[in-house]
Amino acid sequence: MIEPASLPVVHTVADLRTVVRDWKRQGLTVGMVPTMGALHEGHLTLVREAGRRADRVVASNFVNPTQFAPHEDLGRYPRRPEEDARLLAGAGCHLMFAPSATDMYPEGFATSLVMAGPALGLEGDFRPQMFGGVALVVTKLFNQVQPDVAVFGEKDYQQLMVIRRFVRDLDLPVEIVAAPTERDATGLALSSRNDYLSEAELAVARRLNQILAEAAVAAAAGRPLPGVERDAYSAILKAGFERIDYVTVRHAEDLSPFRNGVVDAPARILVAAWLGKTRLIDNMSV
């Protein structure tokens, strides 16, 4: 165990369990925030929320290879564990778990998870490997940490729905808490991938929030969704995005389409769009 910035960091499951076992012997509750590192204020908000709900907080720091396709950005995904440890310490985290890929997926590892339900469509169409990889690593982390509560951000809304579904399906004894999306002063959703954007691209990205807000207002007013989605698509391209994977309004509870073409229940508008080599996702309640 090492302690950068006064935050204990463990790298093996055995060391992790030693710490958590001691906490639980003292009758302390445990909260968890799974992350892939490259932390920003959005992650720290999740850590602080976990601290309000549990006596001790573990944050994992692991860039999970099973949720990346070969052509995606696994190799260039930002990694800065020492800075992450410093930020976590300041947010009230008690332990960082930073395993290696070989620890998480040792030679001969042969287990996978097949996801359906809220994993189908949207990100599931464009990144078909993603949710199986997310479900696998989060299940492993929950088994390793044994948290009482885990906090996830609404920015990755479909991922949140997938996690809630498999936690229910597998009877995992952990409460899943959703935290609102953290945004900068212009409304841009905070994301580790924002680091990839140039200043010119950032100026374009900061227009996405307003386009979604306008579309959400139109959808909530009962305007037919094909027109809402079509106009949002055009506005995103006009703003300077180069291509769009999807922009759509779905039921908030399970991400199913609205069959009658208008919003008649709680809804979310979700988008994935590209600026150069960077893919940004966002969503907003309707």
Side-chain angles (χ1 to χ4, degrees):
M1 184 186 299
I2 60 174
E3 296 192 9
S6 301
L7 178 72
V9 178
V10 293
H11 300 281
T12 69
V13 174
D15 286 343
L16 168 72
R17 285 177 170 163
T18 295
V19 176
V20 174
R21 188 182 303 118
D22 182 62
W23 289 343
K24 295 205 167 186
R25 283 173 177 164
Q26 299 175 56
L28 302 174
T29 56
V30 178
M32 184 178 189
V33 178
T35 86
M36 293 204 301
L39 303 183
H40 50 66
E41 183 58 29
H43 297 108
L44 303 182
T45 296
L46 306 184
V47 170
R48 288 189 283 266
E49 181 63 26
R52 285 189 283 270
R53 293 172 178 268
D55 300 313
R56 296 289 184 270
V57 179
V58 178
S60 62
N61 190 324
F62 177 63
V63 182
N64 177 38
T66 64
Q67 68 192 69
F68 288 79
H71 67 280
E72 292 183 330
D73 59 342
L74 174 62
R76 70 187 185 107
Y77 196 88
R79 293 165 171 84
R80 38 181 186 262
E82 292 183 0
E83 173 67 4
D84 290 341
R86 185 187 69 80
L87 292 172
L88 288 171
C93 187
H94 299 88
L95 181 71
M96 187 169 89
F97 176 45
S100 69
T102 53
D103 284 332
M104 292 294 279
Y105 303 112
E107 185 176 357
F109 190 92
T111 299
S112 62
L113 295 176
V114 177
M115 307 304 298
L120 300 178
L122 305 176
E123 293 297 293
D125 286 341
F126 290 92
R127 303 184 65 198
Q129 79 296 331
M130 178 184 173
F131 290 128
V134 167
L136 182 61
V137 76
V138 172
T139 300
K140 284 178 66 71
L141 289 168
F142 285 174
N143 284 334
Q144 293 160 349
V145 176
Q146 297 287 301
D148 299 286
V149 60
V151 184
F152 294 85
E154 289 186 347
K155 177 184 172 292
D156 296 291
Y157 192 81
Q158 188 176 12
Q159 174 178 280
L160 172 65
M161 296 297 102
V162 169
I163 290 168
R164 282 181 165 165
R165 181 72 266 170
F166 76 70
V167 165
R168 287 196 297 267
D169 289 351
L170 299 178
D171 301 314
L172 300 180
V174 54
E175 178 189 1
I176 303 302
V177 173
T181 302
E182 283 290 314
R183 300 180 181 276
D184 70 11
T186 69
L188 176 64
L190 301 186
S191 169
S192 299
R193 288 188 170 95
N194 291 350
D195 289 355
Y196 300 157
L197 300 174
S198 67
E199 286 300 317
E201 289 170 335
L202 276 170
V204 174
R206 287 171 175 145
R207 300 181 64 183
L208 185 59
N209 173 65
Q210 184 60 39
I211 294 169
L212 288 184
E214 292 170 357
V217 168
R223 186 179 172 201
L225 293 179
V228 172
E229 294 166 351
R230 183 171 56 250
D231 287 353
Y233 193 102
S234 297
I236 292 166
L237 291 178
K238 186 176 180 181
F241 283 83
E242 295 167 25
R243 70 180 192 274
I244 300 167
D245 286 346
Y246 58 80
V247 55
T248 185
V249 179
R250 298 291 182 92
H251 280 94
E253 183 176 356
D254 60 6
L255 297 180
S256 62
F258 284 90
R259 293 183 179 179
N260 60 2
V262 295
V263 169
D264 55 9
R268 284 267 164 174
I269 182 167
L270 305 102
V271 63
W274 290 83
L275 277 172
K277 296 181 179 180
T278 304
R279 184 176 186 268
L280 300 180
I281 65 169
D282 200 352
N283 70 88
M284 186 174 295
S285 63
V286 175

